[in-house]
């Protein structure tokens, strides 16, 4: 039983690594019909031009802050005005 659990944990670990490898290669955002900017999370205060998104080198590990982090993980701030 112990070796079966270890094998399952190993498989889950390897699956997670493959998933992580795939995720760091995916596109960050897309423009649909030249009208709609679509991304996982939200806009970033660091985003001044859409070309900045095109210049993000992939694959890349997601940093803890900045443009890429915001595009992938930013949540709406209910207290933000503007």
């Amino acid at each position: 039983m112990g070796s079966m659990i270890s094998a399952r944990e190993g498989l889950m670990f390897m699956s997670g690594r493959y998933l992580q490898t795939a995720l760091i290669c995916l596109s960050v955002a897309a423009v649909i019909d030249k009208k709609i900017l679509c991304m996982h999370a939200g806009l970033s205060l660091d985003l001044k031009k859409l070309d900045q998104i095109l210049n993000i080198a992939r694959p890349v590990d997601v940093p803890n802050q900045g443009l890429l982090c915001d595009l992938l993980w930013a949540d709406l701030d209910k207290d933000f005005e503007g």
Side-chain angles (χ1 to χ4, degrees):
M1 178 85 168
S3 63
M4 189 171 172
I5 292 172
S6 296
R8 188 174 343 162
E9 288 174 351
L11 181 59
M12 289 173 57
F13 175 76
M14 289 303 295
S15 297
R17 287 185 62 171
Y18 290 126
L19 176 62
Q20 181 66 24
T21 300
L23 290 175
I24 65 172
C25 294
L26 291 174
S27 298
V28 175
V31 176
I32 301 169
D33 200 24
K34 297 183 181 181
K35 296 177 187 176
I36 302 167
L37 177 60
C38 181
M39 65 203 69
H40 181 269
L43 294 174
S44 173
L45 294 175
D46 295 331
L47 182 63
K48 306 300 182 211
K49 297 180 182 180
L50 290 180
D51 285 345
Q52 288 175 263
I53 297 172
L54 294 173
N55 293 327
I56 296 173
R58 299 294 280 180
V60 65
D61 289 328
V62 180
N64 292 327
Q65 60 185 7
L67 177 62
L68 180 57
C69 180
D70 291 343
L71 293 173
L72 297 176
W73 297 112
D75 291 326
L76 295 175
D77 183 351
K78 63 180 178 167
D79 298 325
F80 182 79
E81 293 182 26

